[in-house]
Amino acid sequence: DAGVTQSPTHLIKTRGQQVTLRCSPISGHKSVSWYQQVLGQGPQFIFQYYEKEERGRGNFPDRFSARQFPNYSSELNVNALLLGDSALYLCASTLGGYREDTGELFFGEGSRLTVL
Amino acid sequence: AQSVTQLGSHVSVSEGALVLLRCNYSSSVPPYLFWYVQYPNQGLQLLLKYTTGATLVKGINGFEAEFKKSETSFHLTKPSAHMSDAAEYFCAVSLNSGYALNFGKGTSLLVTP
């Protein structure tokens, strides 16, 4: 079975540009989360979506937005890029339901964004 | 608010020696605790988790961790290190029942021959 897939794997942008990152969850998983991992740090929670609704939001500016589609895939958008947005962006999926979910996040390999 | 602190950003052990990676948590409610491993240029893989029940948790690749409420700790151990264990290890606590995680800064494990 396919795991969590993310695209693109690498991309380079300049300051002020906008970027869209994409994620496809494991088949049957209804919840998708996004994390930012700056070099040398642990991942930081950005968003969580379940059944197309935002379930949680981390401490990130409004330049960051996301959405989840009917097929449970998700996009993360970042506007007005700053140098500090350079990071590995990780997507994770879970079953999502409070009763059946074990709490384990299944991570993709990430999209590495470099802002020049 | 829930948070974790990983003691030691770098740990070096000899092949065959005990691995001990330290994690202390802060939580206002009974925590869900996790250890993840990250190999270079890859995503994170779950090693083990504690939710409720038995406080000694066994995971993949011979790792285990013990939840000690009195010490607010969840240290990761492995009796005998292999070269393939060299990676970045992250301790994490669940932020809320929605399973958003708060990760520590990570510990880089180096295994020497």
Side-chain angles (χ1 to χ4, degrees):
Chain A
D1 288 342
V4 177
T5 57
Q6 294 186 241
S7 64
T9 55
H10 296 80
L11 66 167
I12 299 173
K13 295 285 187 177
T14 57
R15 283 178 295 174
Q17 285 188 313
Q18 176 264 342
V19 67
T20 298
L21 308 177
R22 296 175 176 82
C23 172
S24 293
I26 292 172
S27 178
H29 285 191
K30 298 179 179 179
S31 178
V32 169
S33 301
W34 288 95
Y35 288 78
Q36 180 197 63
Q37 186 179 17
V38 173
L39 193 63
Q41 299 292 319
Q44 279 198 292
F45 172 67
I46 311 176
F47 287 109
Q48 185 181 29
Y49 278 77
Y50 174 64
E51 292 279 16
K52 296 172 288 182
E53 296 291 328
E54 183 181 300
R55 180 186 265 180
R57 171 186 287 254
N59 188 23
F60 280 80
D62 292 343
R63 298 185 297 107
F64 289 76
S65 63
R67 55 179 175 170
Q68 187 177 31
F69 299 99
N71 67 353
Y72 303 111
S73 67
S74 178
E75 286 183 350
L76 175 69
N77 295 284
V78 187
N79 294 322
L81 285 167
L82 303 174
L83 295 179
D85 295 331
S86 294
L88 180 66
Y89 288 85
L90 294 164
C91 175
S93 75
T94 67
L95 287 168
Y98 287 110
R99 291 184 178 179
E100 65 268 25
D101 206 309
T102 61
E104 175 181 356
L105 297 179
F106 294 83
F107 283 87
E109 296 195 350
S111 295
R112 186 164 297 281
L113 171 66
T114 301
V115 182
L116 302 177
Chain B
Q2 287 93 324
S3 65
V4 294
T5 301
Q6 291 185 241
L7 302 176
S9 58
H10 294 82
V11 171
S12 181
V13 300
S14 300
E15 191 175 18
L18 171 71
V19 175
L20 171 60
L21 304 182
R22 300 177 186 273
C23 173
N24 287 91
Y25 70 89
S26 172
S27 177
S28 57
V29 297
Y32 285 12
L33 294 162
F34 304 80
W35 276 99
Y36 280 83
V37 61
Q38 186 177 34
Y39 298 99
N41 300 315
Q42 293 188 23
L44 282 76
Q45 180 184 13
L46 180 70
L47 283 175
L48 49 80
K49 66 185 180 201
Y50 169 79
T51 53
T52 58
T55 56
L56 182 61
V57 180
K58 295 186 183 297
I60 62 171
N61 301 337
F63 285 94
E64 63 182 37
E66 186 171 9
F67 171 66
K68 292 187 176 181
K69 185 177 179 180
S70 61
E71 299 177 7
T72 61
S73 69
F74 191 57
H75 301 330
L76 182 70
T77 61
K78 182 174 180 178
S80 177
H82 296 169
M83 297 296 291
S84 60
D85 294 327
E88 191 80 17
Y89 291 81
F90 294 96
C91 181
V93 62
S94 180
L95 286 175
N96 53 42
S97 61
Y99 312 114
L101 297 183
N102 198 1
F103 285 86
K105 292 186 176 182
T107 298
S108 179
L109 176 65
L110 174 66
V111 182
T112 57

